[in-house]
Amino acid sequence: MKIVITGASGFVGRHLVPRLQTARIDPVLIGRDPEKLAQLFPGLSCCAQDAMAQHATGADLMVHLAARNNDRPGPQAEFDAVNVDLALTQLRAAQEAGIARFVYVSSIHALDASNRSPYAESKRRGAEAVLAAAGDTEVSILYLPAVQADRFAGKLAVLNKLPRVLRGPAFHTLAALRPTVSVDKIAAHLVSGAPAGEDNRLILTEAQMGNRVYGATMRLVDYAFALTILLGFWWVLLAAWIAVRRDSPGPGLFGQPRVGRHGKVFTCWKFRTMQLGTAQAGTHEVSAASVTRVGAFLRRTKIDELPQVWNILRGEIALIGPRPCLPVQTELVEERRKRGVLDVLPGISGLAQVEGIDMSDPVRLARRDADYVALRGILPDIRLILRTARGGGQGDRVRGQTGSA
């Protein structure tokens, strides 16, 4: 396999290239200063842009790492010149050299539409530009968070000052706050051929898998929430139960099978908000007429979800995570399974829910759930808790309803 890389002299490139060599891939390195590249990577083919056709012909893949990063300020035009214009230049060069695949390396900062920094804006424009100019070339956008390597850069650079024995624990603590990715995972992705994600985009992170600091912290938050509700707001639970019982015939609580972590089915508890005898189906498949008068209020205020603190204490659900679906929603279960969404605990609230994406669109929901898994961290999860508390995500819409219920 032959890979062409731009921007190899940067932090990611300096750690990535040796790992590719370990995998028996000798990349072709393109840059403004071939002599500097040759000094950094002795024995590899290094050339300037104008000599690319000679060295890169027959390559399977070009990885565009070159970027104007957010480590120093500057006007929008300076960021666009590198992150947009240079990217298009490299794409055209790849097309002229007959390279079939082009990977534009971006940042998760560009995924946040509220981030209007010149860096994030230029990365969004760059992604749009190369996708629009793709032609017959297979273009994919690779979104990366902070990268972990033998040393650290950016906001993680402070870890380089610590004794080596302390760096690991300190890194895991910081990595629990926001998503990160190891340079080894980036290398493995490229060696595998850099498969494009859906819509030609892929978010590559560690997804907090194996991060005990993240796991322990969020479970502590879950248990604190559950105990606060049980000990401090038991009267709300009692009042809701009484109101449900008096409003319509049937029990106050409603237990329903839901698909949990690894596809295991558990009983999810809620206050009953629908008429007794309503069919077991996704909320979007149930008529709005099935919702009781008290149930509409409970759903609007999210009080109907509070009995799930019992599921939290049993370790079946988390405060934040993909909303668990019914076993009969087989399409959604399968879409989530193939994207790794079932590898994490489901949640009472989550990213898709606060964005108003319900289970009526299984593919769209599963894709957004997968985004959550990739981007989760203590700080993003806390933001979702606050968005939920402020009224974000009023639950799945019932059939015949134009707003959230």
Side-chain angles (χ1 to χ4, degrees), residues 245-388:
R245 289 296 308 272
R246 289 187 173 182
D247 183 54
S248 63
L253 290 175
F254 175 64
Q256 190 177 51
R258 296 275 176 155
V259 178
R261 190 177 186 181
H262 304 312
K264 182 179 179 181
V265 177
F266 68 100
T267 300
C268 182
W269 292 99
K270 301 175 68 174
F271 285 118
R272 180 175 57 84
T273 61
M274 298 187 183
Q275 301 289 349
L276 191 65
T278 301
Q280 293 278 328
T283 306
H284 62 281
E285 300 174 307
V286 178
S287 170
S290 299
V291 180
T292 65
R293 180 174 56 86
V294 167
F297 171 78
L298 295 180
R299 288 165 60 81
R300 185 169 61 253
T301 58
K302 302 186 182 71
I303 292 176
D304 67 315
E305 309 279 3
L306 293 184
Q308 290 170 60
V309 296
W310 175 246
N311 296 113
I312 287 178
L313 295 176
R314 287 175 55 86
E316 297 167 330
I317 203 169
L319 187 54
I320 296 296
R323 195 77 184 99
C325 65
L326 295 166
V328 296
Q329 294 174 294
T330 54
E331 182 182 0
L332 178 55
V333 173
E334 182 55 32
E335 293 292 338
R336 283 176 161 174
R337 189 188 307 279
K338 70 184 184 182
R339 292 173 176 83
V341 176
L342 297 184
D343 293 339
V344 305
L345 277 177
I348 294 178
S349 182
L351 177 62
Q353 189 176 26
V354 300
E355 292 182 344
I357 304 172
D358 65 23
M359 296 182 182
S360 63
D361 191 339
V363 175
R364 182 186 178 207
L365 176 58
R367 290 171 64 172
R368 200 59 177 139
D369 288 337
D371 289 346
Y372 162 75
V373 173
L375 297 171
R376 63 186 181 148
I378 293 173
L379 295 181
D381 282 3
I382 289 176
R383 283 195 290 270
L384 287 173
I385 292 172
L386 295 176
R387 288 177 67 181
T388 301

Side-chain angles (χ1 to χ4, degrees), residues 78-98:
E78 291 184 3
F79 283 89
D80 286 349
V82 178
N83 297 338
V84 182
D85 300 339
L86 179 60
L88 286 172
T89 297
Q90 299 293 5
L91 173 60
R92 286 191 289 267
Q95 292 169 333
E96 292 172 2

Side-chain angles (χ1 to χ4, degrees), residues 21 26 38 41-45:
Q21 290 180 281
D26 290 331
F41 308 106
L44 291 185
S45 177

Side-chain angles (χ1 to χ4, degrees), residues 153-225:
K155 293 181 179 180
L156 297 178
V158 65
L159 299 178
N160 296 325
K161 300 178 181 179
L162 296 177
R164 186 172 295 274
V165 69
L166 297 178
R167 288 181 194 171
F171 168 73
H172 281 90
T173 300
L174 291 179
L177 297 176
R178 294 185 175 91
T180 61
V181 67
S182 70
V183 72
D184 294 314
K185 188 163 188 174
I186 300 173
H189 175 69
L190 298 180
V191 170
S192 69
E198 295 174 289
D199 292 336
N200 296 313
R201 69 167 197 149
L202 179 68
I203 305 172
L204 194 65
T205 75
E206 299 300 322
Q208 301 295 347
M209 297 300 182
N211 191 318
R212 295 182 180 180
V213 176
Y214 168 79
T217 300
M218 293 315 299
R219 288 312 286 165
L220 182 62
V221 171
D222 292 341
Y223 290 137
F225 171 77

